[in-house]
Amino acid sequence: GAGVSQSPSNKVTEKGKDVELRCDPISGHTALYWYRQRLGQGLEFLIYFQGNSAPDKSGLPSDRFSAERTGESVSTLTIQRTQQEDSAVYLCASSLHEGNTEAFFGQGTRLTVV
Amino acid sequence: GESVGLHLPTLSVQEGDNSIINCAYSNSASDYFIWYKQESGKGPQFIIDIRSNMDKRQGQRVTVLLNKTVKHLSLQIAATQPGDSAVYFCAENPYSSASKIIFGSGTRLSIRP
């Protein structure tokens, strides 16, 4: 498809386990963003990539969170030693270039830590 | 992480009436202000943006107003339809280089038949 694709769509994991969330942006989009959305709340900025570089990691909540992007395409968000407070929907978005206000979002990955 | 307005107020509007959704922002240096719509179970979708040197911009059935004096942004939806039911988020590019999009408070729009 032509949109942003995220996988898995749902993930249930045990507390303490590591999880990896994947985002495939729209082809040709150089900017990629990760957000976290807790139930019934707003979008919390985590990190953004311009190409394969992450100029702004200021939103990552702790050192348990990391993200990378390769080939100016797919990105993975890794959460180590998951905690119950990590339960949320993780949304990925891409835009044509840095500074473009129209970001296209994926459907998100719903993470539940039990 | 950055986020504003973590509790979502609800606006209930009669179908066919106009809706006005409001948002307050804090960063006067933002270059663009943006509105996104999020339907249940989906990611947000871009609606319209406005540059900081403008005070009004119109789209299809939507108008965004920017009042920099009081740091207020509003989204007007004309002739509200059932498909407009969603959560609406204001957002901004907080720096002149416009490198990231920070989302503000959301408002749930509910349409009465």
Side-chain angles (χ1 to χ4, degrees):
Chain A
V4 176
S5 177
Q6 291 187 248
S7 60
S9 54
N10 281 284
K11 176 73 176 178
V12 180
T13 190
E14 292 181 352
K15 178 181 173 182
K17 294 285 178 70
D18 298 351
V19 295
E20 193 172 274
L21 312 180
R22 178 186 170 109
C23 173
D24 286 271
I26 294 173
S27 178
H29 280 196
T30 63
L32 185 147
Y33 310 84
W34 283 99
Y35 293 85
R36 178 169 70 179
Q37 187 173 33
R38 292 198 168 101
L39 185 63
Q41 297 189 9
L43 278 75
E44 179 185 4
F45 171 80
L46 299 179
I47 187 172
Y48 97 92
F49 290 88
Q50 176 57 33
N52 294 333
S53 301
D56 193 334
K57 306 179 183 179
S58 63
L60 294 177
S62 73
D63 59 8
R64 296 187 295 106
F65 287 72
S66 62
E68 65 174 15
R69 188 180 185 195
T70 56
E72 299 196 355
S73 180
V74 65
S75 176
T76 54
L77 176 68
T78 301
I79 309 173
Q80 296 178 308
R81 304 181 303 281
T82 51
Q83 304 293 315
Q84 288 186 329
E85 72 228 33
D86 299 333
S87 296
V89 175
Y90 289 82
L91 289 159
C92 174
S94 69
S95 64
L96 190 58
H97 55 75
E98 183 182 26
N100 194 298
T101 58
E102 184 171 6
F104 294 82
F105 280 81
Q107 298 273 62
T109 293
R110 181 176 298 278
L111 176 65
T112 304
V113 182
V114 297
Chain B
E2 298 180 54
S3 171
V4 177
L6 301 182
H7 301 283
L8 303 180
T10 298
L11 174 66
S12 180
V13 174
Q14 188 78 34
E15 182 178 349
D17 286 354
N18 296 337
S19 302
I20 301 176
I21 302 170
N22 297 304
C23 175
Y25 64 89
S26 58
N27 191 336
S28 299
S30 291
D31 197 28
Y32 278 93
F33 298 90
I34 317 149
W35 283 98
Y36 277 81
K37 170 186 180 182
Q38 186 176 28
E39 296 176 279
S40 181
K42 297 182 178 181
Q45 180 182 14
F46 174 90
I47 302 174
I48 190 169
D49 64 8
I50 185 169
R51 194 157 190 178
S52 59
N53 62 355
M54 301 171 64
D55 52 23
K56 180 179 180 179
R57 188 176 183 206
Q58 289 186 294
Q60 186 177 15
R61 274 202 313 120
V62 295
T63 301
V64 56
L65 300 177
L66 176 63
N67 185 329
K68 294 181 284 293
T69 302
V70 295
K71 297 184 181 179
H72 184 267
L73 186 69
S74 69
L75 178 71
Q76 300 179 2
I77 304 173
T80 310
Q81 303 169 358
D84 295 327
S85 292
V87 175
Y88 289 81
F89 290 98
C90 59
E92 58 185 307
N93 287 130
Y95 309 107
S96 59
S97 62
S99 301
K100 64 185 181 184
I101 303 170
I102 298 299
F103 282 75
S105 53
T107 299
R108 184 177 305 279
L109 179 63
S110 172
I111 313 301
R112 302 192 303 272

